[in-house]
Amino acid sequence: MPSLRPKPALFNPIFRLTTSGLLRRTGAGGAVRAMDAAQVFDRESGASDEPDQRARLKIAIVGFGNFGQFLARTFAEQGHAVIGHSRSDHSAAARSLGAAFFRDPHDLCEQHPDVVVLCTSILSTEAVLRSLPLQRLRRSTLFVDVLSVKEFPRNLLLQLLPPEFDILCTHPMFGPESGKHGWSGLPFVYDKVRIGDSEDRANRCRRFLDIFAREGCRMVEMSCTEHDENAAEIQFLTHTVGRLLAKLDLKPTPINTKGYETLLELVENTRSDSFDLYNGLFMYNNNSTELLERLELAFNSLRKELFGRLHVNLRKQLFQSPDGGSSPGAEEN
């Protein structure tokens, strides 16, 4: 006699779509979890336990322009997986570097990178960060910025990122031009703003920093506040003097001195950087305004000293008698 128990359904739907993405039923208990939502960071899903796999990072570069590609080349050469994203299409450049490129930030974040490196301009950083679908990243993702100012991105990342995300503020103090022959001896400044206590998170931060250490960078751990105090003189003053000299339209001459050639080189170097960078160094570093005021005071003091001596010399010439003494009435004047 045939069994009267109901037969199991031949089609049992195991997927359903919700506002958070595609959900999957797992296990006998019917638990459902998101396939593309952020996951708790215990271990990467499907990650290999091989040592070389654990050392390999998946690094997303947001802002895949000139500087982003400059970093991507070294990341890839060291064996890390690189994925890029920009408003402009840099897919051909990415392929040449062995990297993947995603125009859509959702597609980028769904790759679940270990590290997200912000390589945007200072002025566009906030808008770019707000455009990223952070909910599609793992909740333990490490965010790294490489801006030329540090207090601004530190405060911005602390404000906009979920508290579970790690934050490393860095400044490679070199670029495609100064670092084209290698990074050995070039300073790399960093501040571990917020790194989780777990061994996995600490190791990931060390592995990222090791990329620059392996290239021979001079690793400098420094607070964001101290960096900006120093950078106002190191960077903003250099850019200001270079751009001021550029307005004089200096030209090479047949009798150039080494000092004059150094000034011409400074003009060329500062011209190669965008005005947005210079403007960002001014707007987003509290120390830059004070430095401009000091520079103006120093210039006025120097001019006053020059004209003061000129006035003294002119008076001597005007009132000196032919025999070398003072003319009558000079003392009274």
Side-chain angles (χ1 to χ4, degrees):
M1 189 171 177
S3 172
L4 298 178
R5 289 182 301 175
K7 294 182 179 180
L10 295 178
F11 175 74
N12 184 20
I14 59 173
F15 295 102
R16 66 186 175 89
L17 190 64
T18 72
T19 56
S20 62
L22 186 61
L23 299 184
R24 179 174 60 196
R25 193 181 305 280
T26 59
V32 176
R33 70 179 183 87
M35 293 179 65
D36 61 354
Q39 303 298 318
V40 177
F41 184 82
D42 47 4
R43 269 200 178 277
E44 293 182 14
S45 177
S48 168
D49 287 333
E50 293 299 321
D52 59 336
Q53 289 298 319
R54 289 202 303 269
R56 187 173 186 254
L57 293 170
K58 182 186 287 187
I59 304 174
I61 297 178
V62 177
F64 208 71
N66 192 31
F67 192 75
Q69 293 171 34
F70 170 67
L71 293 180
R73 181 174 293 104
T74 297
F75 294 170
E77 287 174 352
Q78 289 196 18
H80 300 287
V82 179
I83 55 179
H85 164 69
S86 273
R87 290 175 300 175
S88 303
D89 185 5
H90 294 293
S91 54
R95 282 193 301 271
S96 70
L97 297 171
F101 185 82
F102 298 91
R103 290 289 298 276
D104 191 319
H106 290 262
D107 294 335
L108 179 90
C109 292
E110 286 174 357
Q111 302 302 309
H112 290 166
D114 303 300
V115 183
V116 175
V117 181
L118 297 174
C119 286
T120 60
S121 69
I122 300 173
L123 302 180
S124 65
T125 299
E126 181 173 356
V128 171
L129 185 58
R130 289 184 181 277
S131 73
L132 295 178
L134 301 178
Q135 74 278 7
R136 295 192 179 277
L137 294 167
R138 290 190 178 90
R139 286 193 291 269
S140 65
T141 303
L142 170 62
F143 266 74
V144 178
D145 89 277
V146 293
L147 300 187
S148 298
V149 294
K150 293 272 66 74
E151 287 189 287
F152 165 66
R154 178 199 63 191
N155 296 339
L156 185 68
L157 293 171
L158 287 172
Q159 174 190 349
L160 298 183
L161 292 181
E164 297 86 0
F165 282 28
D166 287 350
I167 300 172
L168 177 67
C169 287
T170 77
H171 182 192
M173 301 196 69
F174 51 89
E177 185 61 30
S178 57
K180 62 184 177 183
H181 299 303
W183 301 355
S184 180
L186 300 176
F188 181 87
V189 181
Y190 65 96
D191 185 6
K192 299 177 183 178
V193 175
R194 186 173 68 200
I195 304 297
D197 295 331
S198 72
E199 184 178 350
D200 283 343
R201 292 183 182 223
N203 284 338
R204 178 180 56 189
C205 181
R206 280 195 296 268
R207 279 148 50 199
F208 181 80
L209 291 174
D210 188 56
I211 295 173
F212 298 88
R214 287 179 60 185
E215 295 298 319
C217 288
R218 180 161 55 87
M219 307 297 287
V220 182
E221 186 166 11
M222 178 183 292
S223 72
C224 293
T225 300
E226 186 180 359
H227 168 278
D228 282 4
E229 291 172 355
N230 292 319
E233 296 184 355
I234 294 170
Q235 284 193 294
F236 182 69
L237 179 60
T238 302
H239 278 262
T240 299
V241 172
R243 289 185 176 275
L244 185 63
L245 293 174
K247 291 186 178 297
L248 298 178
D249 196 25
L250 302 179
K251 304 291 185 184
T253 74
I255 55 171
N256 282 2
T257 63
K258 289 292 184 183
Y260 187 71
E261 288 180 353
T262 300
L263 293 181
L264 292 177
E265 185 178 351
L266 175 61
V267 170
E268 189 63 28
N269 287 340
T270 51
R271 272 179 173 170
S272 65
D273 291 319
S274 68
F275 190 83
D276 278 352
L277 171 61
Y278 177 59
N279 191 30
L281 292 174
F282 173 68
M283 289 182 61
Y284 294 97
N285 188 335
N286 290 327
N287 304 280
S288 296
T289 302
E290 180 191 350
L291 183 60
L292 270 184
E293 292 172 353
R294 287 167 52 200
L295 185 63
E296 184 177 7
L297 288 172
F299 179 77
N300 289 336
S301 174
L302 183 60
R303 183 172 59 179
K304 183 177 180 181
E305 184 178 355
L306 286 173
F307 279 92
R309 294 194 177 193
L310 177 63
H311 180 67
V312 170
N313 290 332
L314 285 174
R315 283 178 62 87
K316 286 181 178 179
Q317 293 176 17
L318 287 172
F319 297 106
Q320 190 173 26
S321 63
D323 59 1
S326 296
S327 61
E331 295 298 327
E332 298 177 6
N333 294 332

